[in-house]
């Protein structure tokens, strides 16, 4: 008996339906923890997590969100996190893009050895640096009014954040810059332009997808950073950040899980906004492909 073959169009549609089914099922599976957080945040005075966990909320009680938003420390922590993260991301990307261009396109004595030193710093676990960082910040005690140096100051925390992120950003952007054909910059050199013109008019615009990627990862990393802030800020209420505030919601003997989940979801909102703003740049891809003939 001769088997009847499916047409090309029917096979294509069945394949698309199967892929969409897999995507929808995967989306639901990976969304379950997030949905459980939302459901638990709407429970009233929940000291114990419900079992079995509720994926969808059975009530819409926003008292936990109102309590968290009314906390005086939440506003302070939100503002401190915005200042620390925004300044850190801006300065680190500014310095990293310039240094990455230098390592990628400018020849100077010792360039490769200095870049190897950059890479070496990436191999040191971050928690091992906390004691040297503390000693260095404490040693900067010549500023009037700061007997403990930069310990317990916003500037000290931003200085550590920035210094620890430049090496990684430079390594990533330097490799990206090396994928841009050098022939694109020849016209600038012919017109009398220099490295700064090449960087600002060619390399920087073409590198926006890479810079956007680094911006999102950096923002998320320092928005959620806890260990360094805990050591360098300590118990200073005026400099508390959102991760430190979330840790304080965990009680010594009991924990209000509705407050913890409500605060955690509120903390996620800025990250979602940043990702939404830069997502088009993330999928822009390499704009230099096919721009020149090698």
């Amino acid at each position: 008996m001769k088997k009847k073959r499916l047409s090309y169009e029917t096979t294509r549609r069945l394949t698309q339906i199967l892929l969409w089914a897999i995507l929808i099922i995967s989306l639901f599976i990976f969304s379950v923890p997030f949905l459980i957080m939302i459901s638990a945040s709407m429970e009233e005075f929940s000291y114990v997590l419900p079992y079995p966990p509720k994926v969808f909320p059975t009530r819409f009680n926003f008292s936990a969100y109102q309590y968290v938003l009314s906390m005086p420390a939440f506003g302070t922590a939100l503002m401190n996190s915005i200042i620390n993260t925004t300044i850190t991301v801006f300065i680190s990307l500014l310095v990293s893009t310039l240094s990455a261009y230098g390592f990628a396109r400018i020849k100077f004595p010792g360039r490769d050895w200095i870049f190897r030193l950059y890479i070496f710093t990436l191999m040191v676990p971050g928690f091992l640096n906390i004691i040297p960082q503390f000693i260095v910040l404490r040693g900067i005690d010549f500023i009037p009014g700061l007997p403990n140096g930069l310990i317990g100051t916003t500037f000290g925390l931003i200085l550590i954040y920035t210094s620890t992120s430049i090496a990684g950003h430079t390594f990533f952007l330097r490799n990206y810059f090396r994928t841009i054909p050098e022939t694109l910059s020849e016209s600038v050199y012919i017109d009398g332009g220099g490295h700064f013109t090449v960087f600002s008019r060619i390399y920087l615009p073409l590198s926006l997808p890479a810079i956007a990627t680094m911006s999102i990862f950096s923002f998320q990393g320092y928005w959620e950073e806890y260990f360094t802030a805990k050591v360098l800020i300590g118990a200073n209420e005026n400099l508390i950040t959102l991760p430190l505030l979330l840790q304080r919601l965990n009680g010594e003997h009991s924990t209000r899980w509705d407050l913890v989940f409500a605060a955690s979801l509120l903390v996620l909102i800025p990250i979602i906004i940043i990702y939404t703003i830069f997502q088009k740049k993330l999928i822009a891809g390499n704009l230099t492909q096919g721009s020149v003939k090698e």
Side-chain angles (χ1 to χ4, degrees), residues 3 11 16 27 36 42 44 71-72 96 98 137 157 163-164 175-176 180 182 202 204-205 224 230 233 239 264 283:
K3 295 182 179 179
T11 305
Q16 288 183 341
L27 176 64
I36 291 175
M42 295 184 180
E44 191 170 0
M71 294 170 60
S96 299
L98 291 172
L137 290 184
L157 186 61
S163 61
T164 54
N175 292 335
Y176 190 88
I180 299 176
E182 289 190 62
I202 296 179
L204 190 59
E224 300 172 348
K230 179 68 175 177
I233 289 178
L239 300 180
S264 300
I283 60 177

Side-chain angles (χ1 to χ4, degrees), residues 103 108-117 119 174 178:
F103 284 121
F108 56 88
R111 182 187 67 172
D112 294 337
W113 283 103
I114 297 175
F115 185 69
R116 291 190 183 100
L117 184 62
I119 297 176
R174 181 252 192 189
R178 290 173 67 89

Side-chain angles (χ1 to χ4, degrees), residues 34 37 77-78 80-82 84-86 88-89 157 161 215-230 241-247 263-272 274-275:
F34 190 70
M37 285 181 62
L78 177 63
N80 289 332
S81 291
I82 292 174
N84 296 340
T85 306
T86 304
T88 299
V89 172
L157 186 61
Y161 281 171
S215 301
I216 292 175
F217 288 148
S218 297
F219 189 91
Q220 180 180 0
Y222 291 109
W223 185 261
E224 300 172 348
E225 204 285 326
Y226 171 80
F227 181 66
T228 304
K230 179 68 175 177
T241 59
L242 287 172
L244 297 179
L245 179 65
L246 288 177
Q247 191 275 334
S264 300
L265 291 170
L266 290 173
V267 169
L268 285 177
I269 292 177
I271 296 178
I272 296 173
I274 293 296
Y275 181 81

Side-chain angles (χ1 to χ4, degrees), residues 68-79 240 242 245 263 266-267:
V68 172
L69 291 174
S70 63
M71 294 170 60
F74 183 81
T76 304
L78 177 63
M79 185 57 63
I240 186 175
L242 287 172
L245 179 65
L266 290 173
V267 169

Side-chain angles (χ1 to χ4, degrees), residues 131-142:
I131 295 178
Q133 291 167 356
F134 187 90
I135 295 174
V136 169
L137 290 184
R138 189 180 179 86
I140 307 175
D141 55 357
F142 51 84

Side-chain angles (χ1 to χ4, degrees), residues 10 59 150-151 177 187 230 238 254 285:
T10 303
R59 67 178 71 181
L150 296 180
I151 297 295
F177 285 162
S187 59
K230 179 68 175 177
N238 295 326
S254 62

